[in-house]
Amino acid sequence: MREGFAFTAFTARGQTLAETLRGELGGTLREADLPLAAWTAAEFPRREALIFIGAAGIAVRAVAAHIQSKAADPAVLCLDETGRFVIPLLSGHLGGANALARRIAALTGGTAIVTTATDLNGAFAVDLWAKKQGMSVLRPEGIRAVSAAVLRGEDVSLYCPWPVAGERPAHVHLTESPTDAAALVSYRETGRNVLQLIPRVLTVGIGCRRGMEAETLERELARFCAGRGVLPGAIVRAATIELKRDEAGLSRFCEKHGWPLTFYSASALRDIPGEFTPSRFVEAQTGVDNVCERAAVLCGGTLVEKKYAANGVTFALAEAEPALDWSW
């Protein structure tokens, strides 16, 4: 999980501005004796934004070797030492660089130099909509085709299985079939080579034997998701039984993914109405006939993937309907 902003400056005046902005926005500031290349290599994969105060060419050369994709890169911005011009260089929408540029410009009294065509034309930006709705992006190369069509004034078909509140943007057409869509909202593997937005709507219920290692949980989760055609990026939280509170491997596994882990008592799990996959062995060990399915439902909504069991691990998935709207 990325966190915070990282600042660097190349002149005394720029350093003063960096310290001022850090005071307003939080974050870290590169120490003068730390080489820029080393600083960039360390901060690029873990920060929400890298902010260079100085020549744009220095910033471009510093980050060039680390660029992966608009879905993976942090926001990268550059501004002059007076704060007059604030330029988002990388990840304007998904990374939030355009919005951050406007925020910094408001602090410095400068101008955000935003060059993204959808921003300039006030047109629907599918990647910005995805970010606002808390969705991640699969196959981000499809963003360009969708945005280009909208800018040409053409209708773009979008599939979404949930209702979207508010007024639908111009040139966005909702379709009932994912096979007809130019872009789609789904946490399922579709086999289609189009832009896909992944809603974070799933809770994974987990059961495991004592002393389970994080690596085993990781491996089995990958097998579970692949076998059920589920994109693991849709998982937002995890749940299990209170008996697993002291399982270090389980805690590390959830922390790696940034999932909050909720624990439930056996009695709370037993009280959930519904049909679940029973196990006499699990009931003898825990006091409830099923942990993973019941924990997923209690924490996350409707059961959409029933129990998977392998190598001392059980998983199940529950879906909570997202509250989507058309704001971007």
Side-chain angles (χ1 to χ4, degrees):
M1 298 291 289
R2 295 182 181 275
E3 58 180 26
F5 304 146
F7 295 85
T8 184
F10 312 118
T11 66
R13 191 174 182 182
Q15 189 80 3
T16 299
L17 178 57
E19 291 171 352
T20 299
L21 292 175
R22 183 179 63 165
E24 294 285 346
L25 303 172
T28 62
L29 179 60
R30 179 176 68 97
E31 296 180 3
D33 60 349
L34 179 62
L36 181 62
W39 176 85
T40 306
E43 303 292 0
F44 195 92
R46 67 192 189 99
R47 295 294 179 185
E48 294 177 49
L50 273 64
I51 301 162
F52 293 79
I53 300 177
I58 298 176
V60 170
R61 291 186 179 91
V63 302
H66 305 285
I67 296 173
Q68 298 179 34
S69 75
K70 61 174 63 184
D73 297 333
V76 176
L77 296 90
C78 177
L79 58 155
D80 65 277
E81 65 176 24
T82 70
R84 183 180 178 187
F85 300 115
V86 187
I87 309 168
L89 296 173
L90 199 64
S91 205
H93 283 171
L94 291 179
N98 290 359
L100 182 57
R102 296 185 181 100
R103 186 179 175 189
I104 291 175
L107 292 172
T108 65
T111 301
I113 310 298
V114 175
T115 58
T116 310
T118 49
D119 289 46
L120 296 173
N121 288 276
F124 175 71
V126 67
D127 49 350
L128 202 55
W129 180 66
K131 181 178 177 64
K132 183 70 177 289
Q133 304 303 314
M135 295 185 282
S136 57
V137 176
L138 184 67
R139 291 182 289 275
E141 59 275 12
I143 294 171
R144 180 181 298 176
V146 171
S147 295
V150 170
L151 288 167
R152 289 194 300 266
E154 300 172 2
D155 284 349
V156 172
S157 58
L158 172 71
Y159 169 78
C160 182
W162 300 283
V164 185
E167 183 178 354
R168 181 164 44 87
H171 306 300
V172 176
H173 168 71
L174 288 176
T175 176
E176 295 182 356
S177 172
T179 60
D180 299 331
L184 52 92
V185 178
S186 177
Y187 57 77
R188 298 283 184 182
E189 292 280 4
T190 66
R192 299 196 60 218
N193 189 29
V194 297
L195 175 64
Q196 184 168 344
L197 311 180
I198 306 171
R200 303 191 72 208
V201 295
L202 298 181
T203 295
V204 59
I206 305 173
C208 63
R209 64 170 178 251
R210 281 286 178 189
M212 179 58 62
E213 296 180 350
E215 292 76 14
T216 301
L217 287 160
E218 196 71 55
R219 183 175 63 249
E220 295 306 328
L221 178 71
R223 291 174 176 170
F224 167 53
C225 289
R228 306 292 177 92
V230 172
L231 298 167
I235 300 172
V236 68
R237 63 182 65 85
T240 190
I241 194 168
E242 181 69 34
L243 290 172
K244 302 302 176 183
R245 186 176 288 275
D246 62 349
E247 289 290 333
L250 176 59
S251 295
R252 287 196 300 272
F253 169 66
C254 292
E255 287 170 1
K256 176 184 175 182
H257 289 278
W259 300 333
L261 176 58
T262 302
F263 300 92
Y264 295 108
S265 67
S267 61
L269 295 175
R270 280 197 306 270
D271 289 343
I272 304 170
E275 295 184 4
F276 302 99
T277 308
S279 168
R280 291 184 178 179
F281 175 78
V282 171
E283 187 169 18
Q285 298 295 313
T286 67
V288 62
D289 64 357
N290 181 292
V291 170
C292 62
E293 291 178 1
R294 290 177 177 273
V297 168
L298 184 55
C299 188
T302 304
L303 189 66
V304 290
E305 290 296 338
K306 295 180 75 66
K307 178 180 175 179
Y308 163 95
N311 296 316
V313 175
T314 62
F315 290 120
L317 292 173
E319 174 198 301
E321 182 176 308
L324 302 175
D325 61 56
W326 284 116
S327 63
W328 80 91

